[in-house]
Amino acid sequence: MSQYQVIIGLEVHVELKTATKLFCGCSAAFGGDPNTHTCPVCLGMPGVLPVINQEAIRLAVRSALALNCTVRAVSKFDRKQYFYPDLPKAYQISQYDQPLGEYGWVTIRGADDAAKKIGVRRVHVEEDAGKLNHLGQRLGDATGSLVDLNRAGVPLIEIVSEPDLRSAEEARLYLTELRAVLSYLDVSDLRMEEGSMRCDANVSLRPEGFAGSLEDLPRVEIKNVNSIRNVQRGIEYEVIRQTELLAAGERIVKETRGFDDATGKTYSQRSKEEANDYRYFPEPDLPPLVLDPQWIADMKRGLPALPDAIRADLVGRGIPEKDAEVLVLDREAYEYWREATALFQDERLVTNWMLSDLSRLINARGESFANSGVRPEGLVELLGLIQAGTLSGRMAKEVLEAMFESGQTASQVVKDKGLSQITDAGAIQSIVDQVLHDNPAVVQDFLSGKEKALAFMVGQVMKQTRGQAKPDLVNQLLRDSIQKNYAASQD
Ligand SMILES: [Zn+2]
């Protein structure tokens, strides 16, 4: 199996979060009744002229810069010609030989934690096509197809990676990191299930000793996969399929394949077009896109903190790398963390509670960190009660659950449930005495050096106080009492 090296390049389409479409004033919002977000421009009527949406360009430049691309001061638009019913003009306005951004990279980190730079060949701006709704279960036996042009003309960026990825896992890491970077920019909803982020994967196998250009390898494109997980599955399947074909002495056909979520398999759709099949030519209705280099530099300076910098900052603060990774990849979680740690000094305690109990409760309720019923100030109040010794860790878990259930604050829950920790030695001493009296053999074990015997007795006291005694205090009282009342009799 190992006489081939896996070569993967990804093309990711991201819908930009603008109010209006790329070349007209129609709403770019997702949904709406079919063909209600349309006008003569995006319907491709004769005689209309496109006008570029400045906000779309701003978001595209922001994205390209965040992906370490060089942004061209002058780029241009081109027509990509093809016929399909969801494309009313019979061409798509895109960018061909002068894309907005070029030569960037995304850094991925594998299980071995070695950083690897994946090249970003280009980031260009283009318009989306419409959508076909097939009447029937599937295209093959549809009784008809309806066209909805609400998405036609919505602004997209296409992010094309270099063929630097060597496994399905690396593809997953790249997409995860790419999505995280874009999430901090506020340029897109990034919802793969709604199509606002889509991925095509080019997969080929390079035989050992192959010295030619990667472009010469027969390439299979897996088209329009709707989740990162499915991109990974599609590539895994495709690598096996191609390896088996080559092992059987057959040839790989250059083609476009779909991915079937149910079977986990790819299937042939059509033979792949070459760029020259599209007969790209310069868009005559739009002037070249000229950007002020000073404006580009200002945009670059204005970028927010991005995953690489955030990761380094968190690890520098003593947050374990694994935890830092979870926070970085979920912008909502990271923002929650920032709010909470602005109010509470113990950053590791915040991290631990966020990524264990809070995450579990949020997930169980189908909430997210952004819309969770327990806000950062609520969590911080709870952690303060732990720090002050009012609550044990175990009690705090119970309080947190009740906060989710009732919407009450931590101190309200503590009051209502009479939950505060017993920190008064006098209140615990009689129970300690009783436990020592009832377990003479265990006391002897402890005196003969078995430290574990003490843990048993602490457990007994905790049980009798229904978990409300402060464990440190119980531990101390047990030691003192044994020292005072039992150790003497040993001599
Ligand atoms: Zn329109």
Side-chain angles (χ1 to χ4, degrees):
M1 295 290 268
S2 61
Q3 72 261 47
Y4 301 108
Q5 185 180 36
V6 180
I7 309 287
I8 302 161
L10 297 180
E11 294 167 12
V12 177
H13 287 90
V14 175
E15 273 183 5
L16 298 174
K17 205 159 63 177
T18 54
T20 57
K21 292 185 178 181
L22 186 53
F23 299 117
C24 62
C26 291
S27 167
F30 184 79
D33 286 337
N35 300 306
T36 53
H37 301 169
T38 54
C39 74
V41 173
C42 54
L43 291 174
M45 296 295 175
V48 295
L49 288 173
V51 177
I52 192 83
N53 178 338
Q54 200 174 339
E55 175 66 1
I57 298 303
R58 192 182 73 83
L59 298 183
V61 167
R62 212 168 139 74
S63 307
L65 290 170
L67 298 172
N68 305 297
C69 286
T70 305
V71 170
R72 280 175 179 270
V74 181
S75 63
K76 77 181 217 305
F77 290 95
D78 300 275
R79 291 184 176 183
K80 181 180 178 178
Q81 318 266 345
Y82 65 93
F83 174 77
Y84 204 66
D86 65 6
L87 190 71
K89 297 194 295 286
Y91 62 82
Q92 176 192 28
I93 302 180
S94 180
Q95 296 190 295
Y96 183 53
D97 56 339
Q98 292 178 20
L100 187 75
E102 293 169 297
Y103 317 122
W105 71 85
V106 169
T107 308
I108 62 170
R109 272 169 210 77
D112 58 358
D113 211 42
K116 180 176 173 184
K117 268 188 189 180
I118 305 301
V120 171
R121 180 180 291 174
R122 55 189 282 150
V123 174
H124 68 250
V125 182
E126 62 186 27
E127 57 179 339
D128 207 350
K131 191 172 183 292
L132 291 184
N133 293 311
H134 304 296
L135 305 174
Q137 293 303 307
R138 38 176 296 165
L139 184 55
D141 44 48
T143 54
S145 295
L146 300 173
V147 187
D148 176 6
L149 295 174
N150 282 354
R151 304 314 293 159
V154 167
L156 299 175
I157 46 173
E158 180 172 342
I159 301 160
V160 183
S161 87
E162 295 289 353
D164 290 344
L165 298 157
R166 293 290 171 268
S167 65
E169 171 64 7
E170 284 194 357
R172 182 187 71 80
L173 290 169
Y174 170 84
L175 288 173
T176 307
E177 188 68 14
L178 178 66
R179 186 168 62 179
V181 170
L182 296 175
S183 75
Y184 285 90
L185 300 175
D186 265 332
V187 293
S188 170
D189 289 335
L190 301 170
R191 292 201 186 103
M192 285 190 92
E193 67 283 3
E194 284 182 5
S196 56
M197 178 172 168
R198 312 192 282 265
C199 179
D200 304 335
N202 289 296
V203 183
S204 48
L205 297 182
R206 172 159 60 185
E208 211 170 76
F210 177 85
S213 157
L214 292 181
E215 301 292 325
D216 297 335
L217 292 169
R219 197 166 67 232
V220 169
E221 181 176 29
I222 314 169
K223 201 92 181 153
N224 271 335
V225 192
N226 65 356
S227 72
I228 292 179
R229 174 81 189 113
N230 282 344
V231 172
Q232 190 181 8
R233 291 171 72 204
I235 293 171
E236 279 164 1
Y237 176 81
E238 195 53 32
V239 168
I240 293 170
R241 188 187 72 87
Q242 292 186 24
T243 306
E244 286 176 355
L245 277 176
L246 292 171
E250 294 186 45
R251 290 183 48 190
I252 308 294
V253 184
K254 190 165 188 170
E255 62 179 345
T256 299
R257 297 177 73 88
F259 176 75
D260 184 341
D261 190 5
T263 62
K265 293 179 177 177
T266 64
Y267 56 91
S268 183
Q269 284 182 319
R270 57 189 153 90
S271 64
K272 185 157 171 54
E273 299 85 353
E274 299 290 339
N276 53 20
D277 292 338
Y278 288 120
R279 294 179 297 117
Y280 278 99
F281 75 80
E283 167 59 60
D285 291 340
L286 285 167
L289 181 65
V290 181
L291 303 174
D292 177 1
Q294 187 56 49
W295 179 77
I296 297 173
D298 290 346
M299 290 283 287
K300 185 161 185 147
R301 260 195 307 278
L303 288 176
L306 295 172
D308 269 341
I310 295 171
R311 217 176 249 121
D313 175 59
L314 288 173
V315 172
R317 289 164 178 271
I319 305 299
E321 282 184 29
K322 237 176 119 182
D323 293 347
E325 196 61 20
V326 177
L327 290 174
V328 167
L329 293 181
D330 179 351
R331 178 184 165 185
E332 292 181 353
Y334 175 63
E335 282 174 355
Y336 192 104
W337 185 90
R338 291 238 310 186
E339 279 183 54
T341 53
L343 302 167
F344 194 79
Q345 282 200 337
D346 190 337
E347 296 180 341
R348 287 193 70 157
L349 192 63
V350 170
T351 310
N352 290 343
W353 276 81
M354 272 187 65
L355 300 186
S356 56
D357 294 271
L358 187 59
S359 281
R360 183 173 50 77
L361 291 164
I362 282 175
N363 291 337
R365 282 165 175 73
E367 295 177 356
S368 69
F369 278 102
N371 67 18
S372 153
V374 174
R375 303 310 311 148
E377 53 276 19
L379 176 69
V380 161
E381 189 202 354
L382 178 72
L383 299 185
L385 292 174
I386 300 174
Q387 233 176 25
T390 311
L391 291 178
S392 67
R394 215 186 69 178
M395 290 156 79
K397 284 172 199 271
E398 196 182 326
V399 173
L400 184 64
E401 276 204 52
M403 288 165 71
F404 265 97
E405 295 295 342
S406 64
Q408 287 180 307
T409 66
S411 44
Q412 281 170 331
V413 173
V414 166
K415 202 171 152 212
D416 285 6
K417 296 201 168 206
L419 266 178
S420 74
Q421 190 164 241
I422 305 168
T423 54
D424 170 14
I428 307 171
Q429 187 63 52
S430 63
I431 299 171
V432 165
D433 292 343
Q434 190 63 44
V435 167
L436 292 175
H437 179 262
D438 292 347
N439 296 281
V442 184
V443 174
Q444 285 312 311
D445 282 351
F446 176 71
L447 286 169
S448 64
K450 289 186 186 161
E451 274 289 317
K452 272 189 178 169
L454 190 73
F456 171 79
M457 290 184 283
V458 171
Q460 292 300 306
V461 176
M462 293 305 290
K463 205 164 144 190
Q464 294 200 31
T465 57
R466 294 187 304 129
Q468 286 179 244
K470 193 172 185 226
D472 293 356
L473 182 62
V474 173
N475 199 300
Q476 196 54 51
L477 288 175
L478 280 165
R479 283 180 191 276
D480 291 350
S481 300
I482 292 171
Q483 192 62 40
K484 200 168 114 198
N485 304 321
Y486 295 83
S489 62
Q490 284 271 297
D491 302 331

